[in-house]
Amino acid sequence: MHVSLAEALEVRGGPLQEEEIWAVLNQSAESLQELFRKVSLADPAALGFIISPWSLLLLPSGSVSFTDENISNQDLRAFTAPEVLQNQSLTSLSDVEKIHIYSLGMTLYWGADHEVPPSQPIKLGDHLNSILLGMCEDVIYARVSVRTVLDACSAHIRNSNCAPSFSYVKHLVKLVLGNLSGIFPKPSPLSLLIRESMLVSLPDFPKTWILLFLLSI
């Protein structure tokens, strides 16, 4: 089970906080690094996603993954690297890496700005803002690499009192899944005993009817 960044912030009704941005950035960069270890340009399907608030998936484990499913109704142009919009040819994995770095940077800016009134500035520290700006450079060769992003995240972790990155991602997941679990509360031990005894004592009664009733207990 997972939730998208967009779903988490929709439930919150506000932006990512700075430490959350660092955390999602770190976990996303680690996921990208691992992906590029496993794939090649000969396998375009594995690299064909565009990172966006709807395709960046937060996992209960605290890690991050990416998808290109169920986002066809979203306008992704703001998250798409200029060279892709201009149909420029890509000749190396490094080029593809920079495309994803651009999309990730724009996605995190979106998260930092979510539901923030236009009259208010985005609140980001200089170091984080500098990294995100470097990720969103229009010129591909001027864009920072995944390695540079990971080094920046490591430096931030060493020099701050922040919690582990995965813990922030877990918290964002709970914003959504916690609300869902509240809709279907866990049954009490007594109700479980009642359900079990009814299923045993009414073996010939249509199970669908019994289950529909038991679910209402």
Side-chain angles (χ1 to χ4, degrees), residues 50-126:
I50 295 175
I51 299 175
S52 71
W54 305 276
S55 65
L56 192 156
L57 304 180
L58 311 170
L59 308 182
S61 64
S63 59
V64 165
S65 66
F66 311 104
T67 184
D68 60 356
E69 299 177 357
N70 303 319
I71 58 171
S72 57
N73 61 331
Q74 304 293 343
D75 186 350
L76 303 180
R77 286 174 295 180
F79 307 98
T80 306
E83 59 272 15
V84 176
L85 294 174
Q86 297 164 9
N87 295 316
Q88 297 179 16
S89 61
L90 306 173
T91 58
S92 68
L93 276 175
S94 176
D95 290 343
V96 179
E97 175 186 323
K98 296 294 185 69
I99 287 171
H100 290 309
I101 282 290
Y102 180 93
S103 298
L104 178 58
M106 293 300 290
T107 295
L108 292 176
Y109 267 129
W110 180 94
D113 191 45
H114 185 69
E115 298 292 342
V116 175
S119 59
Q120 294 183 15
I122 300 176
K123 295 180 179 179
L124 294 177
D126 291 341

Side-chain angles (χ1 to χ4, degrees), residues 28-48:
S28 297
E30 286 187 352
S31 182
L32 282 175
Q33 184 181 60
E34 185 63 22
L35 177 64
F36 280 100
R37 284 193 185 126
K38 297 178 180 178
V39 303
S40 68
L41 283 176
D43 185 18
L47 303 170

Side-chain angles (χ1 to χ4, degrees), residues 132-148:
L132 295 181
L133 286 174
M135 295 172 68
C136 299
E137 286 280 358
D138 284 341
V139 180
I140 188 170
Y141 62 77
R143 229 168 276 155
V144 298
S145 65
V146 169
R147 183 69 264 163
T148 300

Side-chain angles (χ1 to χ4, degrees), residues 166-188:
F166 67 84
S167 65
Y168 293 98
V169 175
K170 284 184 173 183
H171 176 72
L172 290 168
V173 172
K174 287 180 180 178
L175 289 177
V176 179
L177 300 188
N179 280 356
L180 290 178
S181 64
I183 297 173
F184 304 103
K186 293 182 179 179
S188 67

